[in-house]
Structures are given as structure tokens and as C-alpha cells.
Amino acid sequence: MSVKNPTTKVFEALKQEIVSGVYPPLAPLSEVRLASLYGASRNTVKKALLMLEKENLVSIELNKGAKVKSVSIDEVKEFLELRVVLERFIVGKTVPVISPDDIAEMEKILERMKKNIHDRDLLEYSKNNLLFHDVIYTACPNRVAVEITTNLKVQMRRYNSKTILVPGRDSCSFQEHSAILAAFKKRDVAQAELLIQQHILNVKKAFEDNLSLIF
């Protein structure tokens, strides 16, 4: 089993905390404090911050240090517009080749999502939502499209995940995922593309209609 180097460990830990909102947009990222927090050298932290800058999660200014990058409302809207195109493409490539095991995994995840709604555990619902889409991404033969999509989703996850907090969005989201799975099971490419497109457009509308809740 390979052992992660110190820079990778700090990079992954800090990335997760930025994405999950522990460090909000524009939060300062002190090298000294992070070095103490993660038990690493300042040089290790500096390298990790540079890696995060490449992923557009952190901005670094000379003589001012690093801070969590802020994303504008317009940038999120533009991402969601682009995601409609990317997700349609990915689904179109994946439906014909996805394995029965992958479809069974999607069914299991959907059952967990149903339970999450029943338990009103929206945080866990969001996690399972990501896993549902990850099954599709993993099965997609076009790795470039998947890489572009997942990189964008990481940058926007702080905002996208909050759409599930919009009243009524959880049940609508579940119905949308159920319909997408049904199209996958029927190997209906055109229907799956249409459903994923509508799903992302619904996320975009929930975002636009509830800016005060999300931003």
C-alpha cells in the first residue's frame, strides 16, 4: 500500500475542508496556523496551497498570503449552464456501456437517498447524491469529459450542495434521480439525456430562486 507524502495529505485535508465549507470564501489561510494544525512544515503547507491554487480553490497574492477563493453568482450560473452540456454528453456515452453491477449500485444508493429524505438527513442525502453521479462518471468511457465535470463540481460544491436545503427540493431531486435510473435500466439514451438535462436545469432554477439561502 502506497503512503501519501506530507504535501498530499495536507492538500487533501484542506481541500475537503474548503469544499465542505469549514473554510468559507475569502477566509485567510495562514501558513503558520495550518502548519501547526496539520503537524507539517510551512514549506509543506506552501506546496499544498499552490496545488489548491491550481484547482481554483485558493488565491495567493504576493505579500498578502493565501485565502479561499470566492466564486460569484454569475460564475455558478455559468457552471450550471456548462454542466447541462457536459452531463448530457457523459450520460449519452455511459448508458450503452454501464454494467449491471453499476446499475445495481445506483439502485442501492437511491434507496439510501429515500431513507435520508424520510429521516430528514439532508447532509447525508447530498453525499449519496454525489455517489449516485460518481457511479455514472466512473462508468463513462470519455475520461476527459468526466475530469472537466468533476473538477468544476469540486469548485462549486460549496454552493451546489446547498440547493437541497430549498423547501421541497429534496423530494423533487429524488424523483429526478429515480427517473434517470429508470432510463439507464432501459438503456434509453435519448430519455436519459433529456432527464439529466432537466435535472441540472432544475438545480439551476433552485439556485437562482434562492440566492439568499445559498450565498
Side-chain angles (χ1 to χ4, degrees):
M1 184 176 64
S2 60
V3 178
K4 294 178 182 177
N5 64 49
T7 301
T8 300
K9 287 182 180 179
V10 173
F11 162 75
E12 291 182 350
L14 191 50
K15 177 179 178 178
Q16 179 57 37
E17 294 195 319
I18 291 172
V19 168
S20 64
V22 173
Y23 294 103
L26 302 179
L29 299 169
S30 163
E31 290 179 11
V32 173
R33 192 182 70 80
L34 291 173
S36 175
L37 181 65
Y38 294 118
S41 68
R42 283 191 64 180
N43 189 50
T44 293
V45 171
K46 187 186 295 290
K47 290 178 181 177
L49 289 171
L50 288 170
M51 291 168 67
L52 289 163
E53 184 181 38
K54 288 181 179 179
E55 294 207 1
N56 290 315
L57 291 172
V58 165
S59 60
I60 302 174
E61 295 183 45
L62 187 63
N63 299 323
K64 291 186 178 180
K67 60 184 177 183
V68 177
K69 187 172 181 179
S70 177
V71 179
S72 71
I73 292 172
D74 286 340
E75 284 176 314
V76 177
K77 290 180 181 178
E78 289 170 1
F79 158 69
L80 289 169
E81 290 173 358
L82 179 57
R83 190 179 161 197
V84 170
V85 178
L86 290 168
E87 295 278 6
R88 272 195 69 121
F89 178 82
I90 289 171
V91 162
K93 291 289 185 182
T94 307
V95 169
V97 301
I98 195 165
S99 71
D101 286 346
D102 285 334
I103 290 177
E105 180 62 23
M106 292 167 72
E107 286 183 308
K108 290 177 183 177
I109 295 170
L110 196 64
E111 281 299 313
R112 295 203 298 269
M113 291 166 72
K114 183 177 181 179
K115 184 177 185 300
N116 296 151
I117 291 176
H118 180 270
D119 296 341
R120 306 306 302 153
D121 190 347
L122 298 183
L123 179 60
E124 198 63 27
Y125 181 93
S126 291
K127 292 178 181 178
N128 282 313
N129 187 342
L130 291 172
L131 292 175
F132 184 94
H133 288 277
D134 282 347
V135 175
I136 299 172
Y137 298 152
T138 301
C140 180
N142 191 305
R143 304 315 302 164
V144 175
V146 170
E147 182 177 357
I148 293 170
T149 304
T150 53
N151 285 344
L152 284 170
K153 285 184 73 172
V154 166
Q155 294 176 46
M156 301 296 168
R157 193 174 297 167
R158 290 168 281 176
Y159 308 101
N160 286 349
S161 61
K162 292 182 181 180
T163 59
I164 199 63
L165 301 177
V166 173
R169 179 59 200 153
D170 54 349
S171 60
C172 290
S173 171
F174 179 78
Q175 291 169 15
E176 291 160 16
H177 285 85
S178 298
I180 290 167
L181 177 57
F184 266 83
K185 292 168 77 171
K186 290 188 294 185
R187 305 285 176 170
D188 190 333
V189 174
Q191 181 70 358
E193 288 177 338
L194 183 63
L195 289 167
I196 196 71
Q197 173 180 300
Q198 191 57 53
H199 170 57
I200 306 305
L201 288 174
N202 288 344
V203 172
K204 182 172 181 289
K205 187 176 188 309
F207 172 80
E208 291 173 339
D209 291 348
N210 296 274
L211 293 176
S212 61
L213 173 65
I214 294 168
F215 262 80

